[in-house]
Amino acid sequence: MVKLIYREMDSLKIQIEAKRKDFDEALARVKNRKSLQELRNEYLSRRRGVIAGYLEELKKAKPQEKPEIGRLINDFKEYAQERIKNLHATFSPPK
């Protein structure tokens, strides 16, 4: 589960950018559908995914920070979903 510190918005932005970089590096290593699914689960799983962890931690943010933090998290989620979708389309269908 991701633990966030909300003392500064810049800290959160740095954390999300670092996770996005980690995601891109992991995506570059994907060689088949199985590893792509594992990556998808790691980041997008509703219960234990990285993004779910950020959304859980959003509940602890100050009310005035929630809109911006929520946008950052959703941008990351959409980014990850789009990258996974694009890579998934490059694999041949399972036989």
Side-chain angles (χ1 to χ4, degrees):
M1 194 57 69
V2 177
K3 297 295 179 196
L4 302 179
I5 300 171
Y6 291 111
R7 293 193 181 133
E8 298 178 20
M9 282 300 298
D10 291 338
S11 175
L12 177 61
K13 291 176 186 176
I14 291 168
Q15 288 179 41
I16 289 176
E17 284 304 315
K19 276 296 178 189
R20 185 182 287 214
K21 183 180 177 202
D22 292 346
F23 172 80
D24 285 336
E25 290 171 359
L27 191 67
R29 292 188 301 268
V30 168
K31 302 294 183 208
N32 55 46
R33 284 179 184 262
K34 181 181 178 191
S35 59
L36 182 61
Q37 184 62 38
E38 289 169 357
L39 180 68
R40 185 203 166 284
N41 290 342
E42 179 182 347
Y43 281 85
L44 298 173
S45 172
R46 290 182 183 207
R47 291 188 182 188
R48 292 176 290 188
V50 168
I51 293 170
Y54 281 128
L55 291 170
E56 188 64 31
E57 292 294 319
L58 178 61
K59 296 174 186 177
K60 300 174 186 173
K62 295 176 184 174
Q64 64 271 21
E65 293 177 340
K66 285 184 179 185
E68 186 174 354
I69 294 170
R71 275 191 296 280
L72 288 171
I73 296 167
N74 284 328
D75 287 348
F76 181 28
K77 179 180 176 182
E78 290 170 6
Y79 175 83
Q81 288 173 327
E82 188 65 26
R83 297 284 181 153
I84 289 171
K85 178 183 170 187
N86 290 341
L87 187 57
H88 186 269
T90 66
F91 293 120
S92 62
K95 296 180 181 184

